[in-house]
Amino acid sequence: MGKKLILTESELHKVIRRIIEQTEDEYYRISPEDYLDVMVYASYNGNVFRKMKQYGGKPLYITGDLDLGGKDVKDIGPIAYIDGSLDIRNTKVGDLGGLQVKKYISDGGSPRERIRERQELNAKLGEQESLRDSDEWALEQGDETGEKAHALFDNLVNNGEIEPLSEEDNEKLTILRRKLQDLEQEYEGLDDNDERAYELQETIDETQTEIEELEENNADVYMMYASRYTHYGLQQFEVLIPGFKNNEYTVGTEEEMDDAALQYAVSYIDDVGADGFSESFIEDYLDVDAIVNMAEEDYEYQVRDYPDSYFNESDYELTYEQEQRIEQLESQIEDLEQQKLELDSDDDNYYDYEEDLDNQIEALQEELDSIEVDTEPTEEMIENKVEELVRDVRRDPLDYLKNYGLDFKEYVDEDALAQGLVDSDGWGVMNGYDGQYDSEEVNGITYYIMRTN
């Protein structure tokens, strides 16, 4: 006899509440882990959820991220909502029906990816067909995007990468595209367990292959698709021809190329900072004004507080007043000496006069001898010394930074560095594919073309 499972009253209430919730809910809620356990049991056939009575025939609500990547699964079952992301990369899943996913779907390497990409391509081809019907990009229209599309088209033709189709092949291509559209609509209308799905998918693939073989040579300017995205402000294009999948091109005028390259350089410096450059390159783009201002403030303090470190005895000079007084004293002494020479030695008061003159000369000489250079630097001396030191910093700011142990990378003029990067490497700096660009002239305007991916 099996062991009895004894529940407390509160546990019983929880179980009953859960059953009621699942019964009343629009969906059957199941965790990703429980879902995968069932899928493993059913050899990854999602149809098992439709057959098991415990799920009540309800659509499934997955309560978190569901990872089926790399699993041998074709039918994911009646999932209506995933409260997270879905990974069906490298599976056989082609149709998700009306499934809603809260975050995102990863479908690389699955039939669903191929179907999605075909649908996206057909939508773009439809947009271009509308432009073609109205000949929106005829050169006489002067449309800027059209001119850039012509520049790219001409460049690809001149490089031998594309060539036009014959009229007969163009007609065949139109018929095949209509056939493919009908097949895809039929496929989307099939039930999840319809046995015709595999055969229909094969027919779709065969038709797509025929289309791709023709499209390799189906080329006109309207196969240049103007992307909604830009490359540092440059108009970006896709080429809607097999063999060009994932290729991206940019087209711009000289001014637009200059602006884009500078925009790239600014973005690059924002990302990597000055660490992405050598010292020899950066030293030409230091923020000299910022360094000089810093040095001026520093020297203003240093010279005033530690004058002995910046002046020697020969730097100090007499003041103007001192020089004037010395000149006055020397003149007075000279006059008194002259008076002595002119004294009459026969005069009874000669010695008294001579003594008096000597006393005056001695007093003046004492004052003269007491005049000394003031070793306290004047305001003018301080200002001149600071200006001299600052001039040296402006001549060689890097030397100043090194002498003070400062990191020169923190004193870079990033705007000047960005322009310097463009001046050094040219427009190719923003082309991570091969660093190259071509040019074509359309309506008298030179456009520059780069493949960026």
Side-chain angles (χ1 to χ4, degrees), residues 422-440:
V422 175
D423 294 341
S424 171
D425 292 5
W427 294 337
V429 71
M430 59 178 161
N431 183 356
Y433 178 71
D434 60 7
Q436 304 298 313
Y437 58 88
D438 288 331
S439 64
E440 297 288 344

Side-chain angles (χ1 to χ4, degrees), residues 358-374:
D358 285 338
N359 289 337
Q360 292 184 54
I361 291 171
E362 184 178 354
L364 293 172
Q365 187 63 50
E366 286 179 1
E367 182 182 350
L368 181 62
D369 292 340
S370 69
I371 297 175
E372 295 179 348
V373 173
D374 188 358

Side-chain angles (χ1 to χ4, degrees), residues 17 32 39 48-49 51 81-82 101 114 151 154 162 176 219 228 270 311 315 323 335 337 348 372 394 401 418:
R17 186 165 57 249
M39 288 292 278
V48 67
F49 291 99
K51 296 179 178 179
Y81 188 82
I82 296 178
V101 176
R114 295 192 292 274
D154 292 348
I162 58 176
L176 285 169
R228 293 169 178 78
D270 285 344
F311 300 103
D315 292 321
E323 290 179 344
D335 288 343
E337 292 285 358
D348 292 340
E372 295 179 348
R394 188 172 288 279
L401 296 175

Side-chain angles (χ1 to χ4, degrees), residues 208-226:
Q208 182 65 36
T209 300
E210 286 186 73
I211 290 174
E212 289 176 357
E213 288 174 353
L214 286 172
E215 282 182 340
E216 286 181 359
N217 294 314
N218 178 33
D220 67 3
V221 70
Y222 293 101
M223 298 302 281
M224 310 297 108
Y225 181 79

Side-chain angles (χ1 to χ4, degrees), residues 197-303:
Y198 182 76
E199 182 181 345
L200 193 56
Q201 181 64 58
E202 281 192 332
T203 306
I204 289 174
D205 291 340
E206 290 171 0
T207 306
Q208 182 65 36
T209 300
E210 286 186 73
I211 290 174
E212 289 176 357
E213 288 174 353
L214 286 172
E215 282 182 340
E216 286 181 359
N217 294 314
N218 178 33
D220 67 3
V221 70
Y222 293 101
M223 298 302 281
M224 310 297 108
Y225 181 79
S227 172
R228 293 169 178 78
Y229 305 101
T230 64
H231 183 74
Y232 300 102
L234 291 172
Q235 176 66 63
Q236 198 160 3
F237 287 90
E238 301 172 40
V239 179
L240 305 182
I241 301 173
F244 287 84
K245 182 181 177 181
N246 298 326
N247 291 16
E248 294 176 340
Y249 301 85
T250 63
V251 183
T253 63
E254 181 176 351
E255 182 180 356
E256 289 170 339
M257 294 289 281
D258 285 339
D259 291 344
L262 186 57
Q263 191 179 135
Y264 165 84
V266 169
S267 176
Y268 176 78
I269 292 169
D270 285 344
D271 289 342
V272 305
D275 290 332
F277 301 86
S278 66
E279 177 180 326
S280 60
F281 189 85
I282 284 182
E283 64 183 9
D284 291 331
Y285 304 102
L286 294 174
D287 191 342
V288 178
D289 288 339
I291 297 170
V292 165
N293 289 337
M294 176 181 65
E296 188 171 12
E297 290 181 11
D298 177 52
Y299 283 137
E300 186 77 28
Y301 165 76
Q302 295 289 341
V303 173

Side-chain angles (χ1 to χ4, degrees), residues 3-20:
K3 184 178 180 182
K4 292 183 178 179
L5 178 62
I6 301 176
L7 297 176
T8 65
E9 185 176 353
S10 64
E11 289 173 336
L12 179 60
H13 281 306
K14 288 180 182 178
V15 171
I16 293 172
R17 186 165 57 249
R18 182 177 177 188
I19 293 173
I20 292 173

